[in-house]
Amino acid sequence: MEFNPRIARKREIRTRAPTACQTCRLRKTRCDNTRPTCSYCAVQGVECNYPETSPQQNQLGFDSVNPSNNEVLQRLNHIAGLLEDIKSSEGSTSSTRSLKEGFFELAVQNTSPVADSLPGTNPTSSSTASVDDRGTEHDPRILYLASSGENMLRWPIFNKVITEAEKHIRSFLLDSLDNLPRNMQALRQVGIGSFVDEIPRLCRKYFLLCHRRNPIVDLENLDRYAKEVTVQGLGWDGPSCQVLLACALASCTSSKFVPMAEDMPANLDGLQAPPLSDANLDLAETYFHAAKQRFGFLHTSATDIQCFLLAGSYHRHAIRPLQAWFCYQQASCRLEVRLRSLCRERWTADDDYHNLESRLYWSCIQAEHEMQSELPLWGSGLESLGYSDPFPKFPQRSSSSYDRMDEEQDFAVKPGFELDGTEEERGWKFYIGSICNRRTINDIVCDMWSQGEKGWTKDIPHLLRKIMSAEKVITSWYQISLAGIHSAKDNPDLRFFFRGRYHMALERIYRPAFYLAMHYQGMPTFIKNNHQIWVEVFNLTQKAIDNCALLIPSFWYQFRHEWIWNVIRASFACSVYLLGAVLYQLDASRDSNTWQVRLPSNWTALS
């Protein structure tokens, strides 16, 4: 290659004298170039030496003698200091959604409540949530810790039966993701064309058995979509996807549901088994995977958002909670896009659309709240938008083909499932009642768990007042809800679901009192001597044990529905309750002077 002196001269001119001091150059770190001593050398107390520069370089580079250059450097140093201050202040105030923050800091770290119950000590807490602060009161850490059985296993009462490795389990579902098979293959669409003729029948079944418990879709539109699909065939759009999802939900829902009697037999061996289900899960998967192939064509229309809500409900039927969560997040994010659109003012001028939008909003909020009680994940933030409508209104619709059942249908509808206008309105009351129940319980548990288990021992009388007040609130909700659906003969399934929600709420409300009773032996003497407090504590603890003894058989007596995952999780938590009561009673039975608990006579069968 021929030597070119012009290029060599340019390269010599472009070379710039290093401005970093010798110490920073050796450490290969950034030097702030403060003269005569940089910040690092000043802090370390070492001599700060800058390399000498040649006259030629000084002509094109930094001139240390020029006072204007020194002024520029001082200003740059000042700006750099301000940036460092901002960076350090942001680091000190960690975000509540930071992954660096311990998600389960509120959990008891296998310590006795003795030291933490003494006056003058502060309970460890990673949250400052309050009931008045809508931004943090539904912190998923608090909701999960207040509901999960895994957190209960960290209590000191279980030290004898739980290993240290098991105490570090935060969530069975999230901590077992690596154990899922990696070679899972999705089921392929199998002959969906031969099932098109079944669509009208399955849409009617969806209307009768699924819609009134969770009225996500607009029935008139679903009726029209089903007719179009039957005549013109399936398309690759939202309406066809919605029809397929309705068929999938109808296929996995049993029409032979007979609720268990409220009087529980003492001998569980004599408990009558539920009737055989007529749900066809294979057919449901076929319809669902056909609908799933159309997800990529969905956008932000109301029908598209309904599709993701229906898909989430189906995943919950299939006991796939994480997949359900992903679908609900899709629905919430797409709804937020619509709510922020400039076109919304024109859309909401239509009363029917406004009511549908309100129903979509509250369905998304309800779905996230239901899932967050068992999944420690952050929601979409949709609730923080400040939606104006308190609750959706009951839609007034005209008669559709779903109101007229064919005599040749091959699924039997039990008494109470015939859905005229009055029955549909009662189902709507169940929908509204479920939203009220979940929001109320979230408010209650976030208030009780704002400082974790350690905070309960600071002011036990105040905690007991909270528990008894919450018990009255949830009992009033239950009584009002039952009054809205009248006799058990007319609505056995709705009464059964209301009763389940009521007892699940009591389980969460009684849990702080149960914790105090299980650790009575470790309490300081001045607290143990307050006899009246412990009368109330063990009274509530006995209610908690009896409530779990009632819930477990009720949980067993269920078909698949969209709350089946929550039912399974609650059943596990109730079993942990009984295990803790047994461990406590084993120790208490050795001392006749201590408080006793009464175990259910059939506790071995229950656990």
Side-chain angles (χ1 to χ4, degrees):
M1 180 176 178
E2 185 177 355
F3 176 74
N4 191 336
R6 182 179 300 176
I7 296 177
R9 186 164 51 254
K10 287 183 178 180
R11 288 176 179 173
E12 290 179 359
I13 294 175
R14 287 179 181 176
T15 57
R16 184 177 57 185
T19 58
C21 69
Q22 294 289 359
T23 305
C24 293
R25 284 176 59 81
L26 291 174
R27 295 178 62 251
K28 295 183 178 181
T29 58
R30 180 173 297 178
C31 180
D32 60 4
N33 201 27
T34 303
R35 304 300 177 101
T37 305
C38 71
S39 299
Y40 177 81
C41 293
V43 172
Q44 300 297 325
V46 298
E47 184 179 1
C48 184
N49 295 320
Y50 286 89
E52 296 293 335
T53 57
S54 64
Q56 181 183 9
Q57 291 172 337
N58 276 334
Q59 292 176 4
L60 300 176
F62 173 78
D63 187 0
S64 61
V65 181
N66 192 336
S68 61
N69 288 344
N70 287 329
E71 182 181 358
V72 171
L73 281 176
Q74 290 176 1
R75 292 183 179 181
L76 290 176
N77 290 332
H78 177 67
I79 294 173
L82 293 177
L83 292 175
E84 289 295 329
D85 293 340
I86 294 174
K87 185 177 180 181
S88 61
S89 64
E90 288 180 350
S92 62
T93 308
S94 60
S95 171
T96 56
R97 300 189 67 159
S98 173
L99 291 177
K100 296 180 181 179
E101 182 180 0
F103 194 94
F104 299 87
E105 291 297 327
L106 291 177
V108 172
Q109 300 298 325
N110 191 26
T111 58
S112 172
V114 176
D116 299 301
S117 61
L118 296 176
T121 58
N122 295 321
T124 301
S125 174
S126 64
S127 174
T128 58
S130 63
V131 177
D132 295 331
D133 186 1
R134 299 296 296 182
T136 57
E137 69 169 335
H138 291 158
D139 189 331
R141 295 170 299 181
I142 297 179
L143 295 178
Y144 180 74
L145 294 177
S147 306
S148 70
E150 293 94 326
N151 181 54
M152 294 178 67
L153 293 176
R154 299 184 178 197
W155 291 357
I157 189 67
F158 297 105
N159 285 349
K160 297 179 180 179
V161 295
I162 300 298
T163 65
E164 287 297 325
E166 291 169 338
K167 291 178 182 178
H168 286 82
I169 296 176
R170 304 166 302 170
S171 167
F172 288 129
L173 180 63
L174 299 184
D175 291 350
S176 61
L177 292 180
D178 287 340
N179 297 328
L180 296 177
R182 299 182 181 274
N183 57 351
M184 294 179 61
Q185 296 182 355
L187 298 177
R188 295 182 177 274
Q189 180 176 340
V190 182
I192 192 64
S194 61
F195 297 116
V196 173
D197 295 338
E198 294 290 310
I199 286 177
R201 181 187 69 86
L202 289 175
C203 285
R204 288 195 295 271
K205 184 179 179 182
Y206 168 82
F207 167 66
L208 288 174
L209 304 180
C210 306
H211 175 75
R212 67 171 180 164
R213 295 199 298 265
N214 195 8
I216 296 173
V217 303
D218 183 273
L219 289 178
E220 292 181 355
N221 288 337
L222 180 61
D223 187 16
R224 178 165 53 86
Y225 297 157
K227 291 178 180 177
E228 292 176 356
V229 167
T230 304
V231 175
Q232 302 175 9
L234 289 167
W236 292 94
D237 54 1
S240 295
C241 183
Q242 185 177 115
V243 169
L244 290 169
L245 289 169
C247 293
L249 285 167
S251 299
C252 66
T253 302
S254 176
S255 61
K256 297 181 178 180
F257 177 76
V258 179
M260 184 176 59
E262 296 187 15
D263 297 331
M264 189 71 61
N267 184 9
L268 294 181
D269 294 334
L271 185 64
Q272 183 179 1
L276 295 177
S277 173
D278 61 345
N280 190 335
L281 298 182
D282 292 334
L283 180 62
E285 285 289 291
T286 299
Y287 281 110
F288 176 75
H289 283 284
K292 191 176 180 180
Q293 292 177 347
R294 290 157 173 82
F295 284 1
F297 297 92
L298 301 181
H299 196 51
T300 58
S301 70
T303 300
D304 298 342
I305 296 171
Q306 289 168 342
C307 288
F308 282 108
L309 286 172
L310 290 175
S313 296
Y314 178 80
H315 279 304
R316 293 174 70 177
H317 274 78
I319 317 181
R320 296 193 288 256
L322 280 179
Q323 297 298 324
W325 177 259
F326 300 151
C327 291
Y328 289 141
Q329 294 298 293
Q330 285 277 357
S332 298
C333 293
R334 292 168 193 250
L335 179 60
E336 181 178 355
V337 171
R338 290 189 68 85
L339 294 177
R340 295 185 182 276
S341 172
L342 294 177
C343 304
R344 181 172 178 264
E345 184 176 354
R346 185 178 73 253
W347 296 336
T348 53
D350 182 359
D351 291 338
D352 292 337
Y353 171 81
H354 184 76
N355 190 38
L356 175 61
E357 178 191 87
S358 178
R359 198 159 74 238
L360 290 176
Y361 173 83
W362 285 110
S363 295
C364 289
I365 295 298
Q366 173 71 354
E368 288 190 0
H369 285 179
E370 293 280 355
M371 298 296 293
Q372 281 181 319
S373 64
E374 301 299 341
L375 278 178
L377 300 174
W378 288 94
S380 63
L382 187 65
E383 191 176 13
S384 63
L385 294 181
Y387 195 74
S388 58
D389 291 356
F391 288 107
K393 298 179 181 178
F394 177 68
Q396 299 296 331
R397 63 179 182 84
S398 57
S399 176
S400 67
S401 61
Y402 297 150
D403 298 308
R404 302 180 295 274
M405 298 300 300
D406 291 342
E407 296 180 357
E408 298 178 356
Q409 63 191 13
D410 60 353
F411 63 92
V413 180
K414 296 296 180 183
F417 280 105
E418 294 82 359
L419 198 58
D420 56 16
T422 303
E423 294 298 326
E424 186 179 3
E425 186 174 356
R426 291 172 184 169
W428 187 265
K429 292 178 180 178
F430 173 77
Y431 170 66
I432 298 297
S434 300
I435 295 176
C436 294
N437 173 269
R438 176 52 59 186
R439 289 172 63 84
T440 301
I441 290 302
N442 284 356
D443 290 341
I444 290 173
V445 299
C446 285
D447 183 30
M448 290 184 179
W449 285 77
S450 60
Q451 295 182 319
E453 292 97 328
K454 295 179 181 179
W456 297 337
T457 59
K458 302 303 177 183
D459 191 349
I460 297 179
H462 181 60
L463 175 66
L464 295 178
R465 288 193 296 270
K466 283 185 177 181
I467 294 175
M468 290 185 283
S469 176
E471 183 184 26
K472 292 179 181 178
V473 169
I474 203 64
T475 302
S476 298
W477 167 85
Y478 180 53
Q479 293 172 348
I480 294 173
S481 300
L482 290 185
I485 58 175
H486 301 295
S487 65
K489 180 180 179 181
D490 295 334
N491 299 273
D493 60 327
L494 295 186
R495 292 181 65 89
F496 181 75
F497 287 127
F498 269 129
R499 188 168 72 248
R501 285 183 174 271
Y502 170 64
H503 288 288
M504 289 175 71
L506 290 179
E507 182 270 320
R508 289 167 173 79
I509 291 173
Y510 291 147
R511 191 176 293 193
F514 182 79
Y515 172 85
L516 295 175
M518 294 301 98
H519 302 95
Y520 168 78
Q521 297 292 350
M523 293 293 174
T525 304
F526 72 93
I527 294 181
K528 293 169 67 175
N529 290 338
N530 193 330
H531 181 79
Q532 184 59 36
I533 285 180
W534 293 104
V535 169
E536 297 177 3
V537 168
F538 277 90
N539 181 38
L540 292 172
T541 298
Q542 194 60 54
K543 287 184 178 181
I545 297 173
D546 296 340
N547 183 64
C548 290
L550 179 66
L551 268 177
I552 292 177
S554 299
F555 290 155
W556 169 74
Y557 198 90
Q558 303 233 10
F559 286 132
R560 285 176 182 258
H561 50 74
E562 63 178 300
W563 301 287
I564 193 65
W565 169 249
N566 299 71
V567 165
I568 294 173
R569 295 279 301 165
S571 180
F572 168 68
C574 288
S575 299
V576 176
Y577 260 93
L578 295 181
L579 177 60
V582 171
L583 293 174
Y584 172 83
Q585 188 58 28
L586 285 176
D587 292 335
S589 61
R590 301 187 182 99
D591 185 2
S592 58
N593 295 324
T594 191
W595 294 91
Q596 310 286 322
V597 296
R598 186 182 69 257
L599 298 175
S601 58
N602 52 0
W603 71 267
T604 54
L606 291 172
S607 56

